Amino acid sequence: MELSQIFIKILNMSFTAGYCIIAVILLRLLLRKQAKIFSYLLWSVVLFRLICPFSISSAYSLLRVNTDIISQENIDRWATANLNQNNIADDAVPTLPTYINADNIQDSYFNTDMQEMSRNTWINEAFVVASWIWVAGMALLILYSIVATLRMRYFLKKAIYIEKNIYEAEGIATPFVFGIIRPRIYIPEYINEDERKYVLAHEEIHIARKDYLVKILAYLVVCLHWFNPLVWVAFIFMENDMEMSCDEAVLRKLGEGVKKEYSRSLLSLSVGRKFFQSSPLAFGEGNVKDRIQNILGYHKRAFVTVVLAVAILIIAGIGLILNPAGGNVDEVDLDKLSEFVENYATVFSGRDGAKMVDVYIDEETALENVFMLEKAGDGYTLGLSSPFIDSFRYHIIHEENKADIYYYAMTSDPHMAVWKEQMSYTLVEGEYKAVSSSLKFLDSISSKEEFDEAYLVDGEYQFANYQENGFVEAIKYQIEEGNPYTDNMVYAKPETAAENILNLTGGSGIVEGDYAWQAMVRYTFADGSEVTLPMYNPLDEQAGSGESWNGQDIWIVDTAVWNAKAP
């Protein structure tokens, strides 16, 4: 997996965790009069969201966000939207040299990979750069913690052993736990015996609960998500809840009668001393003011309130851990979804009114949304006669439950235009059903933006191949036999053929490169935007002589140049 893809996954996890952080902060307010252990445990939900790339989906989920809002598909769509604002053709298509051999035209330009070009946008590049910045920031934070920990370890070599795992150190501000496999308790040399009793009770509870490991894990997660300010806020709140829940555990162990003495010892340890700053991985004490207020206000909670707090903890915790049903890209059955969209487009193309109603959630919705669908007696009509749909392509946007369907509608001229349908769907009892649609006829394209809307699909240009569809022979027939309704002489020149085939209007085209049976047309729309269009004469190509057929040229779009998988 590429680094940018990993970063995208981290961004999604961080975004979802940010939602959970805000929810936990609000829940802390609701539980502010309850034991702090409940608030402390709630942070495990955030920790899960920050380190676990997947979850189970459920309708019970309390999340109201898309847990995969950033995906390569979305980035490609943003990039495509960006291409509409920039002249892709101008930037990507190099100017053809004045002199060029027709034999190497394909090598010099006509093999341009438009798909790769369209993906090479600033949005994709920005994600690549951002991923390296993310790695650099993470590396700096981890390096800082390693250096600080080694420095702390060297400093603590002077500590004096007291008993068990307890050491007394000169020059430290507060007691703390240091170590992973065999954690040690380090206490300042200046504390008296009474203070030492409370200090050791507090630190021993930290060790018994493995809080020192929790803090290390939490710090590493902060390094992973350092770019998210909410994660730093969560880290601070989690530390405070950890400390206050540990204080409450000391009071339960020693009794509520020691609240004043315990508070006095905390205050004594925090006043008027400047000492060696410890490693971020060392387990120290902080936020003395809030801790003292919590200690003095501590009292044993009633059984009913404890049960209520536990219920809130369970309900909120499970609800925030579960993903919303259908919200994860990984949970979407793409094969089944593709089959549904393809069936929808096939039914619409085949003008089958009854089947069209079946693919919608109900008859009323189908009649409201489907173009020219009408009820006729006991049946339905879908009044599409000419032009008829020859083929279609589609692009699924499953994060938004939408699909763009591109229909290629053909007339008897022969000529082909593009219809674009935006269809929304939902999941009903395990089956996909359409809920809305809108149809746009892209048969009069007057700007580069409209041009991209009609022909830029999934990052590459898609054009009907007139030669493969048999249009060239049909055009030849029309020219030979004559047709009062059709002016097939537009195919005689590359610029007029390009305008006609691609349904361009309001502008003008000029031939910038003409090489035997191939040509480049630059079409300028009325708004000043431009497209560069490769054209070729299939009859000259077949003849190989550079001579036109029967004194007549027929020019069509060179789909091979665009690397398009046109219908």
Side-chain angles (χ1 to χ4, degrees), residues 262-323:
Y262 188 21
S263 300
R264 192 178 295 114
S265 68
L266 287 180
L267 185 61
S268 175
L269 290 169
S270 65
V271 175
R273 296 182 177 92
K274 294 183 180 179
F275 294 101
F276 181 87
Q277 296 298 315
S278 66
S279 159
L281 301 184
F283 195 88
E285 321 301 340
N287 196 20
V288 174
K289 180 180 177 181
D290 288 345
R291 288 176 61 193
I292 290 175
Q293 290 178 346
N294 186 64
I295 290 169
L296 295 177
Y298 175 79
H299 60 86
K300 188 175 181 180
R301 271 71 177 182
F303 177 76
V304 175
T305 60
V306 172
V307 171
L308 180 61
V310 170
I312 293 174
L313 178 67
I314 293 173
I315 294 172
I318 295 176
L320 292 173
I321 285 176
L322 294 174
N323 280 343

Side-chain angles (χ1 to χ4, degrees), residues 119-131:
R119 291 181 185 274
N120 187 25
T121 65
W122 71 268
I123 296 178
N124 285 279
E125 292 298 322
F127 272 97
V128 172
V129 173
S131 64

Side-chain angles (χ1 to χ4, degrees), residues 149-284:
T149 299
L150 293 175
R151 183 167 171 254
M152 170 61 80
R153 185 176 180 181
Y154 177 78
F155 179 82
L156 292 176
K157 286 183 177 180
K158 304 174 185 178
I160 300 172
Y161 174 73
I162 304 298
E163 60 176 336
K164 298 179 181 178
N165 62 337
I166 304 169
Y167 290 77
E168 186 177 83
E170 178 183 357
I172 61 175
T174 62
F176 59 83
V177 174
F178 187 76
I180 297 177
I181 299 176
R182 288 188 293 272
R184 296 175 178 180
I185 300 173
Y186 291 90
I187 59 176
E189 62 175 354
Y190 59 83
I191 64 174
N192 58 43
E193 290 299 323
D194 290 337
E195 293 172 341
R196 179 174 296 187
K197 177 178 65 174
Y198 301 120
V199 163
L200 293 179
H202 183 96
E203 304 303 335
E204 286 169 356
I205 289 173
H206 275 319
I207 293 176
R209 298 194 318 189
K210 309 297 182 184
D211 286 341
Y212 61 97
L213 296 179
V214 173
K215 179 175 180 182
I216 293 173
L217 176 60
Y219 179 78
L220 291 175
V221 170
V222 169
C223 293
L224 187 66
H225 297 269
W226 63 265
F227 54 85
N228 187 343
L230 286 175
V231 174
W232 291 92
V233 171
F235 183 70
I236 294 170
F237 281 154
M238 184 275 296
E239 274 197 297
N240 291 341
D241 290 340
M242 180 190 290
E243 289 300 328
M244 286 190 280
S245 67
C246 192
D247 290 334
E248 292 176 350
V250 171
L251 296 179
R252 288 193 297 271
K253 179 179 178 181
L254 301 181
E256 295 185 32
V258 302
K259 289 194 292 185
K260 289 185 178 180
E261 291 79 3
Y262 188 21
S263 300
R264 192 178 295 114
S265 68
L266 287 180
L267 185 61
S268 175
L269 290 169
S270 65
V271 175
R273 296 182 177 92
K274 294 183 180 179
F275 294 101
F276 181 87
Q277 296 298 315
S278 66
S279 159
L281 301 184
F283 195 88

